[in-house]
Amino acid sequence: MKKYFALLTTLLIGFAAQAQEFKPFKVNVSLGAALPSGGGGILFAVEPKYGINDRIDVGLRIEVAAMARATTVNGVTTSGDLQFAASYLLTGNYMLSTNNFRPFVGLGAGLFTVASTGFSENGGQSTNGTIAAGNVFGGMARVGFKAGHFLLGVEYNLVPNTTSALFDSNGQIQIGKTVQSKNSYVGVKVGFDIGGGRR
């Protein structure tokens, strides 16, 4: 029994030592490109994170993106106006290594604030309009790597499309016709962690 207790104690001490190799609290600051379907833009993100152990981080991603996203009017896809959108996601990352070079994968879920966007049909000759802003629940998947405090990552933000009725130039609803905004986008980021280095 004493041998088993000694072995268990040794394993727990080893795990605790590994779990304390990196400082648990860090804040990531990132800039990058926002790439929605049929458009593009830039993004900025801040993500406070806490390391449960050396491989698992949990955090809160706050991101603002300025991007023009595609709209589909009567089945024809066109680019919308450049607008701002924001997101507030709970995140989790899993580090694939405990070395200074640390590939990772992660998931997130939370609230996306979708900006309004303008659109036109036939160059504005027949229809102009705006898809209203709104808040929707969405998700995110990411891959990337850390090298010291430097980070490079790619994220896919899965955001439900926004659909509304289509109005003509006189403000009358066009029966059976809709306009849809494609809100999902890819984020390509470079950034750095403040804190979180080795003890």
Side-chain angles (χ1 to χ4, degrees):
M1 184 69 176
K2 290 181 179 180
K3 290 182 179 179
Y4 291 117
F5 182 74
L7 178 60
L8 181 59
T9 302
T10 302
L11 290 173
L12 289 175
I13 290 172
F15 178 77
Q18 181 187 23
Q20 295 174 2
E21 186 175 349
F22 291 90
K23 297 174 185 176
F25 185 74
K26 70 218 52 130
V27 177
N28 178 262
V29 179
S30 297
L31 291 170
L35 305 172
S37 174
I42 59 174
L43 59 81
F44 172 75
V46 176
E47 186 174 349
K49 295 181 286 187
Y50 183 83
I52 295 174
N53 57 41
D54 281 350
R55 289 187 180 269
I56 300 174
D57 288 340
V58 293
L60 173 65
R61 192 196 78 180
I62 303 167
E63 182 171 284
V64 177
M67 56 186 171
R69 59 190 194 270
T71 56
T72 302
V73 183
N74 292 337
V76 178
T77 300
T78 182
S79 180
D81 297 334
L82 182 70
Q83 298 289 347
F84 283 92
S87 60
Y88 312 89
L89 306 184
L90 295 175
T91 62
N93 291 338
Y94 180 75
M95 303 293 174
L96 303 177
S97 166
T98 56
N99 300 321
N100 283 331
F101 181 79
R102 311 178 74 192
F104 65 85
V105 295
L107 295 172
L111 185 68
F112 287 83
T113 299
V114 179
S116 63
T117 187
F119 64 89
S120 63
E121 182 187 16
N122 296 330
Q125 298 300 313
S126 60
T127 305
N128 286 294
T130 300
I131 298 176
N135 297 320
V136 295
F137 183 82
M140 177 272 296
R142 60 168 47 143
V143 296
F145 69 85
K146 289 180 62 176
H149 290 274
F150 173 81
L151 181 144
L152 175 65
V154 178
E155 299 175 346
Y156 182 72
N157 295 273
L158 180 61
V159 190
N161 294 339
T162 305
T163 304
S164 68
L166 186 63
F167 296 85
D168 63 22
S169 56
N170 296 318
Q172 300 297 313
I173 293 178
Q174 298 186 34
I175 304 299
K177 296 182 178 182
T178 61
V179 57
Q180 184 178 75
S181 171
K182 297 181 179 180
N183 300 322
S184 295
Y185 66 97
V186 174
V188 181
K189 297 178 173 181
V190 293
F192 60 93
D193 282 347
I194 301 170
R198 291 184 181 275
R199 291 184 182 276

